[in-house]
Amino acid sequence: MTVNTRIERDSMGEMQVPADALYGAQTQRAVQNFPISGLRLPDRFIRAVALIKQTAAAVNVRLGLLDGSIGAAIEAAAQAVLDGEYADQFPVDVYQTGSGTSTNMNVNEVLAAIASRNAGQAVSANDHVNMSQSSNDVIPTAIHVSAALAINEILIPALEHLSATVRAKGQAESHVVKTGRTHLMDAMPIRLEQELQGWAAQIDSGVERLRASLPRLYRIAQGGTAVGTGINAHPEFAGRVAEALADATGLPFVPNPSFFEGLSSQDAAVEVSGQLKTIAVGIMKIANDLRWMNSGPLAGLGEIELPALQPGSSIMPGKVNPVIPEAACMVAAQVIGNDATITVAGQAGSFQLNVMLPVIAHNLLASIELLANVARLLADKAIADFRVREDNLKRALSLNPILVTALNPMIGYLKAAEVAKAAYRSGRPIVDVAEEMTGLARAQLLAVLDPAQLTRGGISD
């Protein structure tokens, strides 16, 4: 099929560009040079670049560097991109030039085309839209801005929802006592509320770690331009852009105290990715606990029954699987893998520039979005409405010889071990065996071995 084209020019010469494309020669070169994955940088990232262009145009106008009508046209064009228009005009592959220059120029060219059309005069992608900027400070800034926005807007609220759901479920089942497990083996009893409190605390700690990392993410590289010296930018440009970004987003963005660090390293992104990995580890622990507790329903633990969401087998009728916890485990695995990529990419700072910026942006935003989505799924489709199988819990608890641990202070460890082994061999309740082997009164044993009494402590109000 013939594609209509037009001729565009850049510093390297002429290029044929699709006739209906808003972008120009540099974008088309990138499309042809990097047919690698078919993956584009996330919309959140493109919007962050557009926001930077919008604030830069406004600042340049106020500094007397840019004609007001051209600046207004760039701002309006950027707003259209921020509003979700023209999403099909950003076709550059994630795996491109390591500085992200191709994406920066893609945005510059699209905004220049829209602004030229609206202003009725020529707007230059380089001289106007990219004024006082370099790809080398725009792309690192866009990583920080897009990640900070995503963390605040979707991830932290989702994690807080998960934590609140877990705590509410625990409180609703606070009367339930079950067999604790260490090494997947029967251990001392625990209240279901205490078990779930441990999950919630993991999530809460993850949010604390994220919040502790955000101040480094709020430091932006914008104003460092090519190598950190601020060449071709007004001395007030960096501070004013940071202030404008803070006003636009409600987040406390400030210029990085060292633009040389801001351009040459991505340590803040690596740090945040590490916190995301830690959250993923917690999600996998919770998801696997749910899978074990739901296992069965006859030959497994059978402690809970997760909501039945879909048929579990194409061959075994009636089988229902723990699909949400399984999906959560896969998300956790992906986030851990993304962190490994970001870690390697973070080492790619050679002298004054990191040259794996696009893949950092892609993986960091993917991890944030994956965790946000799966946290809400876990809360709403697995934890909020699982049914506790109290009959199974009580049956296992009544036969648990490990309850004899409570008798250690009265009869000693070795004697208690004898009682436990005898109870295991006979399959009888520990109270009956202890009464026969210790000489302690049954009433005393019932009081000491009461599972509910043995679970006191462990939750701070």
Side-chain angles (χ1 to χ4, degrees):
M1 184 171 61
T2 303
V3 177
N4 293 326
T5 62
R6 69 179 193 272
I7 300 296
E8 289 284 342
R9 294 170 179 82
D10 61 11
S11 61
M12 294 186 71
E14 294 184 347
M15 280 293 296
Q16 287 191 338
V17 176
D20 59 352
L22 292 173
Y23 52 78
Q26 292 204 46
T27 300
Q28 186 62 31
R29 291 187 193 281
V31 170
Q32 294 178 1
N33 286 337
F34 308 113
I36 296 175
S37 70
L39 295 172
R40 302 179 181 184
L41 281 160
D43 289 343
R44 286 181 181 277
F45 185 79
I46 297 298
R47 290 198 299 270
V49 176
L51 180 60
I52 292 164
K53 302 298 174 181
Q54 185 181 59
T55 56
V59 168
N60 282 324
V61 169
R62 288 198 294 270
L63 290 172
L65 303 174
L66 182 64
D67 176 79
S69 61
I70 292 178
I74 293 171
E75 288 188 66
Q79 187 60 50
V81 173
L82 288 168
D83 292 339
E85 299 181 45
Y86 310 111
D88 61 340
Q89 295 297 312
F90 306 102
V92 180
D93 204 277
V94 167
Y95 302 97
Q96 54 169 284
T97 174
S99 62
T101 297
S102 297
T103 290
N104 183 46
M105 284 307 305
N106 182 191
V107 176
N108 286 339
E109 289 177 342
V110 170
L111 295 185
I114 300 169
S116 296
R117 182 179 64 198
N118 294 342
Q121 59 181 310
V123 176
S124 167
N126 290 90
D127 296 334
H128 298 142
V129 182
N130 201 60
M131 178 181 283
S132 307
Q133 305 153 60
S134 165
S135 302
N136 298 354
D137 61 355
V138 168
I139 299 302
T141 298
I143 291 173
H144 282 219
V145 170
S146 59
L149 284 168
I151 288 169
N152 282 283
E153 291 176 355
I154 64 170
L155 181 52
I156 289 178
L159 293 173
E160 289 176 338
H161 174 66
L162 174 58
S163 175
T165 302
V166 170
R167 290 186 187 279
K169 185 65 173 178
Q171 291 168 4
E173 307 292 350
S174 60
H175 64 286
V176 175
V177 180
K178 56 168 285 187
T179 299
R181 289 183 182 83
T182 59
H183 304 269
L184 291 180
M185 305 297 288
D186 298 344
M188 291 296 289
I190 188 172
R191 295 202 310 278
L192 184 59
E193 181 184 16
Q194 293 170 320
E195 190 163 50
L196 270 60
Q197 187 267 354
W199 298 354
Q202 274 191 285
I203 300 303
D204 292 344
S205 294
V207 172
E208 289 178 14
R209 294 184 184 98
L210 271 181
R211 291 191 190 280
S213 296
L214 283 173
R216 266 79 66 197
L217 213 53
Y218 294 142
R219 299 173 188 167
I220 59 174
Q222 203 64 52
T225 64
V227 293
T229 61
I231 185 70
N232 290 352
H234 190 283
E236 296 180 20
F237 180 79
R240 291 197 183 195
V241 166
E243 183 179 355
L245 286 172
D247 289 342
T249 62
L251 300 178
F253 292 111
V254 295
N256 193 316
S258 171
F259 289 137
F260 306 107
E261 187 263 352
L263 271 63
S264 65
S265 81
Q266 278 294 303
D267 291 352
V270 173
E271 176 188 4
V272 169
S273 179
Q275 309 301 8
L276 298 176
K277 178 183 70 174
T278 303
I279 292 168
V281 169
I283 292 287
M284 186 172 281
K285 186 265 193 278
I286 293 167
N288 278 326
D289 279 358
L290 285 167
R291 292 174 61 234
W292 275 105
M293 293 162 71
N294 181 74
S295 62
L298 300 178
L301 296 182
E303 295 185 345
I304 65 170
E305 185 178 301
L306 291 169
L309 300 178
Q310 63 186 62
S313 173
S314 61
I315 189 173
M316 293 176 281
K319 191 170 186 292
V320 179
N321 297 329
V323 293
I324 298 298
E326 288 172 353
C329 287
M330 287 189 280
V331 164
Q334 183 63 61
V335 171
I336 291 167
N338 289 348
D339 178 67
T341 298
I342 292 168
T343 299
V344 173
Q347 300 173 53
S350 300
F351 298 107
Q352 277 67 61
L353 184 67
N354 181 288
V355 289
M356 289 196 186
L357 297 176
V359 80
I360 290 174
H362 171 71
N363 282 278
L364 191 64
L365 290 172
S367 291
I368 293 169
E369 190 155 341
L370 284 169
L371 288 172
N373 290 342
V374 87
R376 290 193 179 275
L377 280 179
L378 264 182
D380 298 339
K381 292 193 173 185
I383 293 170
D385 296 318
F386 72 65
R387 183 179 72 86
V388 180
R389 300 183 63 184
E390 293 190 51
D391 53 341
N392 284 357
L393 295 176
K394 289 176 181 177
R395 187 180 308 113
L397 198 56
S398 68
L399 296 175
N400 184 5
I402 301 300
L403 295 176
V404 77
T405 302
L407 297 180
N408 283 358
M410 303 170 67
I411 63 176
Y413 180 92
L414 293 178
K415 185 64 177 178
E418 292 179 16
V419 173
K421 290 176 182 179
Y424 274 126
R425 287 194 300 269
S426 64
R428 297 165 59 205
I430 190 68
V431 171
D432 295 346
V433 178
E435 184 180 14
E436 294 175 0
M437 296 182 62
T438 66
L440 296 173
R442 187 173 185 82
Q444 184 180 15
L445 289 170
L446 288 172
V448 173
L449 299 176
D450 177 9
Q453 295 300 317
L454 295 175
T455 64
R456 290 186 173 179
I459 293 183
S460 58
D461 297 324

